[in-house]
Structures are given as structure tokens and as C-alpha cells.
């Protein structure tokens, strides 16, 4: 493999890392509050707001039901509005985040609902505020599940970031399409696949270990 190609690999890997890390951060910052909203306004929740819960659920399901490649194209005007362009690594972060946020919100919602109801009732009996229940009971107790869900989301983002290369998103997917597919360079294609497998395996291993350490019930 030539030196310019190695440099191209390094740059593409950096672009993929930027897309995945920025999208993961946006997913955590926005997706977790949405999950909390779905739990506290849901049946038996801390706040009686069925209409808000239903509307939030519809929005989340709507985005989750749309295949990523369609969402990628449909969001081009939104992406251009936010970052000024629809091509490039930074532009790809927008659809990646919008696709991952509802996915993680549902995964995190499941983790939050698995928290022992008795703990919540005990804090309520002691006069605990809703904010205390969310930040001192729900999120800490669900932390292993939240980390596990975020790990699954990051793994999905790695795959979707490669798909973003099909529409000029940059990164390893773009490299595989331009060199591996269009120029029939099987070495580049194989190398991209190996790197993606290594990335996914590394993220999954790190996420599993962190979730296990946080799980006080293990």
C-alpha cells in the first residue's frame, strides 16, 4: 500500500471518528432527556401528561421507522440549513445524530423502566422531589443499561457513518466506495472492512466492560 494511500486511510479514519464521536455526544445529550420524558409522562409515571407522552412517542417512532439512507437524503435541506452544506464530514453528523437520537431514546427508556419501582416509591414516601427521583434514583440505577444502550447506538453509528460515504459524507465509507468499489481496489475494500470490524469490536468490548463495572447487582 502506497504512502499517499496510507495517509488517506488515516484521514478517513479521523473523519469517521469525528462523525461517530460528535453524533454519539449529541445522541446522549438529547436522547437521554427524551427517554426520561417518555418514562415520567408514561403510564404510572411521575407526571400525568398522556398527550405529551403520546406525541413524543409518535415523533420518536416516526424517525425510528425511517430507513437511514432515506433519512440521509430527506434531511439534506435541514443539514444545509444547520451547517451550510450537505456534503462532508461535518454535514454527515446532522443526519447521523437525528437517526441515532430516537433509537437511543427507546433503548434508554427500557433501561429506565427496569428500575425497581419500590425504590421510586420509597423516595416519594420520604418527600423526595421529582428531580431527586430522576437524578438520584432512575438514572443512577439504570446506568449499566444506559451505557449498554449507548454502546449499541455507537456500534450502529459506525455502520451508518460508512453508509454516509455514499452521499459524500467522507470517512471510511467514502474511501471504500471511491477506491474499493469504483476503482476495483480489493485491498482497500478489505482493509476498510477489517478496520470497521476492529472499531466495532473495540467499542463493544469497552462498553461491555464499563457496563459490567457499573452494575452493582453483578
Amino acid at each position: 500500500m502506497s504512502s499517499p494511500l496510507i495517509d488517506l486511510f488515516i484521514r478517513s479514519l479521523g473523519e469517521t471518528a469525528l462523525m461517530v464521536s460528535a453524533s454519539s455526544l449529541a445522541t446522549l445529550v438529547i436522547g437521554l432527556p427524551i427517554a426520561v420524558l417518555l418514562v415520567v409522562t408514561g403510564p404510572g409515571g411521575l407526571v400525568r401528561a398522556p398527550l405529551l407522552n403520546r406525541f413524543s412517542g409518535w415523533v420518536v417512532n416516526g424517525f425510528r421507522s425511517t430507513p437511514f439512507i432515506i433519512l440521509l437524503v430527506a434531511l439534506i435541506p435541514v443539514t444545509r440549513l444547520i451547517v451550510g452544506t450537505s456534503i462532508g464530514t461535518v454535514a454527515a453528523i446532522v443526519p447521523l445524530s437525528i437517526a441515532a437520537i430516537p433509537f437511543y431514546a427507546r433503548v434508554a427508556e427500557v433501561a429506565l423502566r427496569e428500575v425497581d419501582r419500590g425504590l421510586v416509591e420509597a423516595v416519594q414516601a420520604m418527600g423526595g422531589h421529582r428531580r431527586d427521583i430522576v437524578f438520584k434514583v432512575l438514572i443512577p440505577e439504570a446506568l449499566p443499561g444506559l451505557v449498554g444502550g449507548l454502546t449499541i447506538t455507537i456500534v450502529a453509528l459506525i455502520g451508518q457513518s460508512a453508509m454516509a460515504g455514499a452521499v459524500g459524507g467522507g470517512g471510511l465509507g467514502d474511501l471504500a466506495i471511491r477506491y474499493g468499489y469504483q476503482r476495483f481496489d480489493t485491498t482497500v475494500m478489505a482493509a476498510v472492512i477489517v478496520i470497521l470490524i476492529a472499531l466495532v469490536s473495540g467499542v463493544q468490548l469497552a462498553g461491555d466492560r464499563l457496563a459490567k463495572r457499573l452494575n452493582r447487582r453483578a
Side-chain angles (χ1 to χ4, degrees), residues 44-166:
L46 302 173
V47 181
R48 294 180 64 83
L51 287 178
L52 177 60
N53 179 266
R54 208 168 300 157
F55 176 76
S56 305
W58 284 343
V59 173
V60 167
N61 289 340
F63 279 102
R64 281 193 61 203
S65 304
T66 308
F68 177 67
I69 192 67
I70 297 175
L71 197 64
L72 195 63
V73 176
L75 288 173
I76 285 177
V78 178
T79 303
R80 195 174 291 136
L81 183 68
I82 295 175
V83 298
T85 178
S86 60
I87 299 174
T89 303
V90 175
I93 293 171
V94 176
L96 283 170
S97 301
I98 293 177
I101 286 168
F103 176 82
Y104 180 66
R106 281 302 187 196
V107 176
E109 180 192 4
V110 172
L112 291 169
R113 288 195 186 282
E114 287 180 349
V115 173
D116 187 357
R117 183 70 189 168
L119 289 174
V120 175
E121 292 173 350
V123 175
Q124 284 178 314
M126 289 186 289
H129 194 270
R130 291 167 184 163
R131 184 177 52 202
D132 297 327
I133 295 172
V134 170
F135 290 103
K136 296 181 180 178
V137 179
L138 286 179
I139 292 178
E141 289 295 321
L143 208 49
L146 296 176
V147 170
L150 185 62
T151 302
I152 294 171
T153 307
I154 294 174
V155 168
L157 278 170
I158 291 173
Q160 290 171 340
S161 72
M163 203 183 301

Side-chain angles (χ1 to χ4, degrees), residues 28 130 174 213:
L28 181 63
R130 291 167 184 163
D174 181 55
R213 289 187 64 178

